[in-house]
Every structure is written in C-alpha cells, then in structure tokens.
Amino acid sequence: MNVSRRWQPSPLIRGSIWLHSGAAIAAIVLVISQPPYWPLALAGVVAAIIVDHLVLTAVGLWPRSRLLGPNLVHCRDCEATRGRIVLTIDDGPEPQVTPRVLDLLAAHGAHATFFLVGARAAAHPDLVRRIAAEGHGIENHSYAHDHGFSLRGTRWLAADIDAAQRVLSSLAGRAPRFFRAPAGLRSPLLEPVLARAGLGLASWTRRGFDTRTTDADRVLERLAGHDGRRLAAGDILLLHDGHAARDAAGEPVILAVLERLLVLCRERELAVVSLDTVLPQ
C-alpha cells in the first residue's frame, strides 16, 4: 500500500485558484453595484476565466509538462542512471505481442517497466506474473485506458486508478509507485488524485509514436536519433506492446524497433533497465 503524499499546487494552479477566487468576487461586486459599463467589465471577468481554462487545457495536452505538477520526464540527475537507459512499454499486456517482447528483452539481458492497463492485466494474469517473475517493473496505466480520461472528474479518476492499482498489486506482488495517463493527457484534477494514492506521475524523454507509425526506421530515429547519437544515460524511452502499429508484413513494429534499439544501447555501452532500478525505494 502506497503512502499518501501532500498535494502541493504548482504555481500555475495556485495562480488559477487566485484568478477564479478574484473573478468570483469581482463578478458579485459588479452585479450588486452595477457601476457604469458594468456589463462590459463583467464580460472581461468571464473572458479571463475562459482564457485560464484554455491555458490549463493546453498544458494538459502537453504530456511532458510540469506546469500542472511533478512529472518524471527523465532520470539524468539520479546517481543510479549512470550508463543506463530506462525503457518503458505501454498499453499491455497483449498476448500476441508481450511474450515476444519479453523474449527479446531476455535475449539481450535487458529490463523494462511495463505500464499496464488494469482491465488487460485482469484478462491476462499469467502474462503479468511472467513480467514480474522476469524482473521487469510494473506500473499503473489506468484501469480502462479511457480516451476521455483527461475530461473525467476526480471521483471517476480515483476509482479508475484505484481499480488498476488493486489488480496490479495483486498480480505483481507489489504496489505500483508510478502512474502514466492514457496518451499522457491529463487535467489539473489528476495530481491531487495521485497524491492521495501515493503515486508519482511519469512520462518520458522521447517516444516513438509506434502506435501509428509503421516504419521501424522512423520510430527508432525518434527514440535514438541517427546511429543512436541521441541516446543518453537517464533517458526514459516509450514503446507500446498494446495498440502496436503493424508493418507491411503484419508484424508489430515494436519488435523490429526493440531489437535494433537494444543493439544500439549495447554498442553505446548503455544498460537498458526498469524505472525502479534507477529510482529505488
């Protein structure tokens, strides 16, 4: 069971709270006193609130942003990341793909963190147990992987995250410490929910967009750059075993990308590890 942590609003959230409070007071004063041109002034107050909501929405669409609260985007400052790359794999477990991903990781002596969807984990418990037994990390990627996740209220968010937490804790033998939002999209309501659940938000340094890109070369270049020159210790890379795009031969693109990525890392003398390896409790 994770220990709840105190929610500390970010400067942007604190500013938004003050703006809403001030706007509410200003609106009440304007309506009661009705000074000259008060409708125009009231319209200005409403416009300020609308702009604030648009800013918050835009920030929520930026997965690597820290403006809504803490967000792990790389581990370069961690002592344990020297000579190590953190590999994360989302949206599984997927019975047609995950076992082959695990085989590749084992063949290269590499480890990864799997951000698992709770409903998929419940449907494929043996895969979850295999992931854990082979030394990989397991973290929370929501229960339903709902496309409207960032639009949901706090009660729905808490129930969804808790449901995934219970399933994954039971199958993995330990409680996940990190959460990743579906597609990385979130609202200002998420961080207070994560704080109560004792979870940290984790995103990535680079992603391959391998759920829609069928060209393994292009996916690999996004992750590692030409000849792996972008790779650096502490980077958090993102691939997908669930919802994986397929190449022209019908093969999940993650398989070709992962094989080549692991070779590149070995050539660069970078170990591929799970998140809990570089962020031990």
Side-chain angles (χ1 to χ4, degrees):
M1 180 69 66
N2 294 349
V3 178
S4 298
R5 54 184 173 82
R6 182 183 177 187
W7 174 55
Q8 296 183 323
S10 68
L12 178 64
I13 298 301
R14 285 199 298 269
S16 179
I17 292 171
W18 279 104
L19 174 63
H20 280 69
S21 299
I25 294 171
I28 293 170
V29 170
L30 287 169
V31 170
I32 292 175
S33 62
Q34 295 191 0
Y37 308 110
W38 73 270
L40 184 61
L42 184 60
V45 170
V46 173
I49 294 175
I50 292 173
V51 169
D52 178 65
H53 279 264
L54 290 174
V55 169
L56 293 175
T57 299
V59 171
L61 296 175
W62 178 14
R64 300 178 69 247
S65 170
R66 290 172 170 153
L67 294 175
L68 296 180
N71 187 8
L72 184 66
V73 300
H74 60 72
C75 301
R76 290 174 189 155
D77 296 332
C78 305
E79 183 71 19
T81 59
R82 292 184 179 180
R84 297 178 178 184
I85 289 285
V86 177
L87 176 63
T88 64
I89 300 174
D90 281 15
D91 291 4
E94 166 54 56
Q96 303 304 316
V97 182
T98 306
R100 299 171 70 184
V101 168
L102 291 170
D103 291 343
L104 275 174
L105 292 170
H108 288 267
H111 289 88
T113 290
F114 289 78
F115 280 85
L116 299 182
V117 177
R120 286 175 170 264
H124 306 289
D126 289 343
L127 266 181
V128 181
R129 295 188 186 101
R130 179 184 169 186
I131 291 170
E134 294 185 8
H136 304 288
I138 291 176
E139 303 296 346
N140 191 326
H141 194 37
S142 81
Y143 187 83
H145 203 274
D146 184 81
H147 292 300
F149 183 88
S150 62
L151 305 176
R152 299 291 190 173
T154 53
R155 183 175 297 181
W156 190 96
L157 293 173
D160 181 82
I161 292 169
D162 180 65
Q165 194 75 354
R166 284 186 280 108
V167 168
L168 297 176
S169 298
S170 174
L171 294 174
R174 69 163 185 83
R177 296 167 54 202
F178 291 95
F179 176 80
R180 179 174 285 163
L185 307 181
R186 63 199 191 280
S187 76
L189 302 178
L190 178 60
E191 174 55 22
V193 172
L194 294 181
R196 285 194 295 272
L199 291 166
L201 181 68
S203 58
W204 51 82
T205 309
R206 287 184 298 281
R207 65 188 302 183
F209 292 97
D210 57 317
T211 58
R212 59 176 184 262
T213 301
T214 59
D215 183 351
D217 291 338
R218 184 73 184 106
V219 173
L220 184 63
E221 186 174 359
R222 288 173 180 149
L223 291 172
H226 183 64
D227 292 335
R229 291 175 185 172
R230 292 181 67 184
L231 292 173
D235 285 353
I236 302 174
L237 306 183
L238 169 60
L239 285 168
H240 293 79
D241 55 347
H243 304 117
R246 305 272 173 161
D247 62 19
E251 285 288 285
V253 71
I254 182 179
L255 300 177
V257 173
L258 183 58
E259 175 78 35
R260 293 165 60 184
L261 176 64
L262 294 173
V263 170
L264 276 175
C265 287
R266 184 173 65 247
E267 292 173 350
R268 294 287 306 277
E269 299 183 342
L270 291 167
V272 178
V273 301
S274 60
L275 195 57
D276 54 351
T277 303
V278 298
L279 294 171
Q281 276 185 306

